[in-house]
């Protein structure tokens, strides 16, 4: 067994992510990734540090002929990093990883559409103040809620990936990192455009109200909601796709430590935001102002 495979197996047995191992021995996560991919070899000081972290000898790490002992240390490190004495690792095959990423990409599009529908649901009501506007509003909200529920049910089989420590099969990490790297340009572009649309969304309101007066102010509000809707669509879609890679790599918000304290509150949260938006809007009648709930809710969700 080569050194790269030994580091991978010992790290997973210890219940550590690449980031956590890197912190323990004072290197970057990229360095650990290169070691595990046989793209680089740790120097002697790092070999000693690895042996101390994993509780194995340096001879075991350096000799390819040495096989992994059945009682290899690492359980104490596992308990320390996860905060639990019994923290079984859930195996993830290459097929499961690919199916999850495919499902996650579909979720990203549908959930982003659902959120956008909730945002633009009041556009017709603002423009016409008619029964048709109310029907359009309820229709958009209904479709949005159905999307949230249906996508949640279709993703049920993959929920353990977001909640439990993972033992990914050989080749999974390399595949995920390659796809993550290829997607990074799209993520930056869509996030930039989405944020930009939200920032400039007020311009139509100011321009139309300033040039054409109050008569055209409602058109400005409708365009504002349209800009925000498209911007949030891009932000939500690209964020969900990116988070899928982090789930499998156990990075970002999905490290093993984060999994203990976090709960999947997305569906409940956005349902509550939608209910609050409708309630406040109907009670106040200020559809031209209550749109601010959506960008604020997005910022709060990120903090949570």
């Amino acid at each position: 067994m080569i050194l790269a495979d030994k580091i991978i197996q010992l790290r997973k047995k210890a219940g550590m992510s690449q980031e956590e191992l890197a912190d323990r021995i004072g290197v970057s996560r990229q360095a650990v990734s290169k070691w595990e991919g046989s793209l680089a070899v740790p120097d002697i000081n790092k070999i000693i540090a690895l042996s101390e972290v994993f509780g194995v000898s340096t001879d075991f790490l350096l000799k390819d002929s040495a096989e992994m002992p059945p009682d290899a240390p690492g359980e104490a490190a596992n308990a320390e990093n996860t905060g639990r004495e019994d923290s079984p690792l859930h195996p993830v095959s290459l097929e499961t990883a690919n199916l999850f990423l495919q499902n996650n990409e579909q979720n990203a599009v549908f959930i982003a559409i659902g959120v956008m529908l909730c945002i633009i649901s009041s556009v017709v009501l603002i423009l016409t103040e008619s029964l048709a506007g109310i029907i359009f509003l309820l229709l958009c909200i209904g479709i949005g809620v159905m999307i949230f529920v249906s996508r949640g049910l279709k993703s049920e089989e993959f929920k353990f990936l977001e909640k439990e420590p993972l033992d990914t099969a050989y080749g999974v990490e390399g595949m995920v990192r390659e796809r993550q790297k290829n997607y990074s340009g799209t993520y930056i572009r869509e996030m930039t455009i989405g944020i930009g649309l939200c920032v400039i969304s007020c311009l139509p309101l100011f321009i139309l109200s300033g040039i054409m007066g109050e008569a055209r102010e409602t058109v400005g509000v409708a365009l504002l909601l349209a800009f925000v809707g498209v911007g949030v669509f891009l932000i939500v879609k690209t964020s969900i796709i990116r988070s899928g890679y982090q789930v499998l790599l156990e990075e970002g918000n999905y490290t093993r430590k984060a999994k203990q304290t976090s709960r999947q509150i997305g569906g409940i949260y956005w349902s509550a935001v939608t209910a609050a938006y409708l309630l406040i809007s109907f009670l106040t009648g200020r559809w031209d102002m209550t749109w601010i709930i959506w960008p604020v809710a997005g910022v709060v969700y990120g903090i949570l």
Side-chain angles (χ1 to χ4, degrees), residues 266-289:
I268 298 174
Y269 178 84
W270 287 111
S271 296
V273 170
T274 300
Y277 170 71
L278 292 174
L279 179 63
I280 294 173
S281 299
F282 274 119
L283 290 178
T284 63
R286 295 303 306 271
W287 298 91
D288 59 327
M289 296 296 295

Side-chain angles (χ1 to χ4, degrees), residues 126-127 204-205 208 214-225:
I126 291 172
L127 291 174
L205 178 62
L208 291 178
E214 265 185 47
R216 298 295 182 182
E217 187 173 334
T218 54
V219 177
V221 173
L223 288 174
L224 179 149
L225 290 174

